Amino acid sequence: EAHAITQMLKLLAGLNVKQRKARQKGGIKAEFQDTPYQVLVETEPTPAGVERLTIRVRNLKQSVETPDELGFSETMKEKLREMAANRSGVILACGVPGSGTTSTRFGIARSVDAYMYSVYTIGDLESREIPYTTEFEVKEGDDLETTIQRVIRIDADVIFADAMSDAETAKIIFAKQKEIAFISEFAARDTAQGLAKFLEWVGDPQIVVDGLHAIVSQKLLRVLCNDCKQAFRPNPKLLKKVGLPPKTKVLYRPGQPDPEDPEDEPCEVCGGLGYFGRAGMFEMLEMTDGMREAILGGADVAAIKSKMREERMPSFQSEGLRLVAEGRTSLDELQRTFKSK
């Protein structure tokens, strides 16, 4: 039965039902209760000889695309713009499957000043848009290295590439990073784990520290409903305990109907949940001089995380507290997100 379902979904998504030994990606346009959806279908072979089927559903009415919609801080947006302006080096998004990594990659691409720099895509845009970029026509039979070289020849500044899934792809990209900037993604638990993975893939720490600008990772958390969220004055002891500035005058929590008022009905927007939609909190590992020194000295994951804290790089905790202070989410939601690791 599982095989029959897989074959049917592959057919609907425009994939080759006879091909079971190579990774394939496709999509289905759907509609439910007047809401348009995009169903992304991906298959990949496993060592056991069967196919793994992954399905992701996007509500096109609630599409989150821009850096502001995703929740990038002003500091992070500015740093990403500066990195892309070098016209060389690698900027990566990472995360576990389903955590919003692809959206982060698109957000990074949309942080680039496309008026100033020419950005070419050589990957699957998954029906999304990156304004003022050019989709490069990949010739049938060309491998990744050949395609990259063709893009370099037309004097492009940035390449927006598909996700990296193996060491061979990572080595090709890092070998070309001096000639053009790259934006891509890969799977890793967080930025420190991701850096360790790339060091293993590439095999030469010097190549990584010379070519990598930054790795950005994300966690998703629920956003308070703007129609019913409730303000409250926080206790100074609470502010000190969680690490918020003492000058914080107001925080917000989910709105709830008054139990003593039978006519006070649940919010129509969020259905009484108190939350509506999601946002990302981001951490960004930057390749600073201190980080380069630590990596070349053989730093492990714990040492990399320690160096990030020492240099006050954006972390999940600091960015989560920023969203709380801005009134976009609650302390309870932040605590729930960290508990659900």
Side-chain angles (χ1 to χ4, degrees):
E1 291 183 5
H3 175 66
I5 293 171
T6 299
Q7 292 296 86
M8 178 58 70
L9 286 170
K10 286 173 66 174
L11 182 65
L12 292 172
L15 306 182
N16 184 351
V17 295
K18 295 181 180 179
Q19 176 59 267
R20 302 186 64 194
K21 296 183 179 180
R23 190 173 183 175
Q24 297 188 76
K25 294 175 69 175
I28 305 168
K29 291 183 178 179
E31 186 173 303
F32 179 70
Q33 294 183 346
D34 297 325
T35 300
Y37 292 90
Q38 181 188 44
V39 182
L40 301 173
V41 178
E42 184 174 347
T43 64
E44 59 180 329
T46 67
V50 298
E51 283 184 295
R52 179 183 290 114
L53 177 71
T54 303
I55 299 174
R56 300 193 302 275
V57 181
R58 289 179 58 220
N59 183 334
L60 299 181
K61 280 188 175 180
Q62 297 178 0
S63 183
V64 178
E65 303 283 346
T66 69
D68 288 333
E69 289 170 343
L70 289 165
F72 286 14
S73 68
E74 289 299 324
T75 301
M76 187 168 145
K77 287 188 290 185
E78 181 60 34
K79 286 184 175 181
L80 290 171
R81 279 194 292 268
E82 291 174 356
M83 291 171 186
N86 291 315
R87 303 180 182 181
S88 63
V90 182
I91 305 173
L92 298 167
C94 77
V96 297
S99 66
T101 308
T102 298
S103 293
T104 298
R105 173 166 58 106
F106 276 81
I108 292 171
R110 293 182 72 152
S111 298
V112 178
D113 188 343
Y115 288 107
M116 294 289 295
Y117 307 103
S118 58
V119 182
Y120 281 78
T121 65
I122 62 171
D124 181 8
L125 293 182
E126 300 182 355
S127 299
R128 305 192 195 198
E129 292 184 1
I130 308 176
Y132 311 111
T133 62
T134 304
E135 188 172 353
F136 188 76
E137 185 179 349
V138 179
K139 291 183 179 179
E140 186 176 353
D142 279 359
D143 58 16
L144 177 62
E145 188 171 6
T146 303
T147 299
I148 291 172
Q149 195 58 50
R150 288 181 58 219
V151 178
I152 292 172
R153 286 197 199 104
I154 59 177
D155 203 27
D157 299 315
V158 181
I159 287 179
F160 179 79
D162 268 338
M164 286 187 271
S165 59
D166 53 53
E168 181 182 356
T169 303
K171 289 177 180 177
I172 290 171
I173 286 178
F174 272 85
K176 296 292 184 181
Q177 61 78 23
K178 290 183 179 180
E179 301 175 78
I180 195 167
F182 287 91
I183 296 172
S184 185
E185 70 172 85
F186 67 109
R189 186 184 309 163
D190 54 35
T191 56
Q193 293 279 357
L195 178 55
K197 186 173 185 176
F198 258 88
L199 290 169
E200 181 180 348
W201 271 0
V202 177
D204 186 339
Q206 189 67 58
I207 292 176
V208 175
V209 300
D210 287 346
L212 183 66
H213 284 314
I215 303 177
V216 181
S217 188
Q218 69 292 312
K219 285 182 180 292
L220 295 175
L221 76 175
R222 295 178 298 175
V223 174
L224 286 165
C225 175
N226 281 325
D227 279 51
C228 69
K229 66 181 182 182
Q230 297 175 345
F232 69 96
R233 187 176 294 277
N235 187 305
K237 291 183 179 179
L238 174 65
L239 295 176
K240 184 177 180 180
K241 181 179 179 180
V242 301
L244 283 168
K247 61 182 181 180
T248 304
K249 300 298 183 184
V250 63
L251 295 177
Y252 292 86
R253 58 192 167 209
Q256 298 293 331
D258 185 349
E260 297 182 2
D261 184 358
E263 296 184 1
D264 190 9
E265 298 180 351
C267 173
E268 292 183 1
V269 174
C270 66
L273 292 175
Y275 297 93
F276 187 76
R278 295 191 296 176
M281 52 182 177
F282 300 87
E283 67 174 13
M284 183 164 74
L285 186 157
E286 299 174 63
M287 194 51 66
T288 60
D289 290 340
M291 185 60 74
R292 289 187 182 92
E293 184 178 344
I295 293 169
L296 294 175
D300 58 10
V301 171
I304 292 169
K305 290 182 177 181
S306 177
K307 176 58 69 174
M308 290 178 67
R309 289 192 296 270
E310 178 186 325
E311 299 201 8
R312 303 181 69 84
M313 296 181 189
S315 67
F316 289 137
Q317 182 177 10
S318 65
E319 288 299 285
L321 288 173
R322 176 179 66 84
L323 293 175
V324 169
E326 291 176 355
R328 296 193 66 191
T329 194
S330 67
L331 282 172
D332 285 343
E333 172 63 8
L334 188 62
Q335 185 178 39
R336 184 197 68 81
T337 302
F338 282 119
K339 281 184 176 180
S340 61
K341 289 182 179 180

